[in-house]
Amino acid sequence: TLELEINHTDEELFKVFKTDCRNFIRQFERRGAVLERATPDDAFAEEYYQQLIDVFAKQGLVPTYSLEKVKCLLRHLTDGENVLCQRVRDPEGNSIATSIFLAYNDTFYFWGGASYRSGQHYRPNEYMLWNAIKYWRDKGFSVFDMVGVRDYKKKFGSHEVEYAHMLIAKYSW
């Protein structure tokens, strides 16, 4: 996975971000889109999932999990203490991007993010991650586990971490 130590000031964090990441965050702030905290409910799950379908469609794929899985996750985390749901709206008020972050102990996790292709020029994805970093850091968390290794996550200055794990098969063959 990729991890980022977040117990630093905004300025210190910004220094480890790659130049294009910093530029995308600044572009979001200038282009008129708005980020808001969303309620982790069924309506948000449906909104997120519709955007997720668009993310997978541009690669000719379908989502690897169901809408019901997202709803179930959010239903079980309704207290809001260990979940952060975010929505980005364009200047006309249309939802163009969503994200879900979970937290446990001193670490928060990127569970999922989705956005419509039509809203990509606002640069919502980088801004949602940046906002989540500040949100969880201010709540006392110190590590951001980006869950998986993808090129778009590396621009935040994260470092790769490997974990040993053991798999036990249900069947002997």
Side-chain angles (χ1 to χ4, degrees), residues 4-14 17 84 103 106-108 129-144:
L4 176 66
E5 298 291 327
I6 62 168
N7 51 351
H8 302 285
T9 66
D10 289 359
E11 294 78 23
E12 291 168 334
L13 285 167
F14 233 55
F17 293 178
L84 171 64
D106 71 336
T107 303
F108 84 96
L129 268 69
W130 173 233
N131 189 70
I133 289 167
K134 294 187 296 181
Y135 174 85
W136 292 110
R137 180 203 56 207
D138 292 348
K139 289 182 69 107
F141 290 81
S142 60
V143 178
F144 177 20

Side-chain angles (χ1 to χ4, degrees), residues 69-165:
K69 181 175 182 173
V70 181
K71 287 181 177 181
C72 182
L73 172 79
L74 296 180
R75 273 190 218 121
H76 287 88
L77 296 171
T78 55
D79 66 2
E81 291 299 313
N82 295 324
V83 63
L84 171 64
C85 294
Q86 299 180 119
R87 169 186 302 113
V88 172
R89 294 188 186 278
D90 67 14
E92 290 77 40
N94 302 308
S95 175
I96 59 170
T98 51
S99 59
I100 302 170
F101 298 89
L102 308 175
Y104 182 71
N105 288 335
D106 71 336
T107 303
F108 84 96
Y109 303 85
F110 182 38
W111 193 84
S115 57
Y116 289 124
R117 287 175 265 191
S118 61
Q120 289 297 305
H121 65 282
Y122 291 103
R123 303 296 189 191
N125 299 314
E126 291 81 8
Y127 198 79
M128 286 190 296
L129 268 69
W130 173 233
N131 189 70
I133 289 167
K134 294 187 296 181
Y135 174 85
W136 292 110
R137 180 203 56 207
D138 292 348
K139 289 182 69 107
F141 290 81
S142 60
V143 178
F144 177 20
D145 185 332
M146 298 179 131
V147 185
V149 178
R150 299 284 184 267
D151 286 339
Y152 75 92
K153 297 175 181 179
K154 292 178 181 178
K155 65 182 149 199
F156 285 88
S158 54
H159 64 277
E160 198 164 326
V161 177
E162 294 182 12
Y163 296 100
H165 65 280

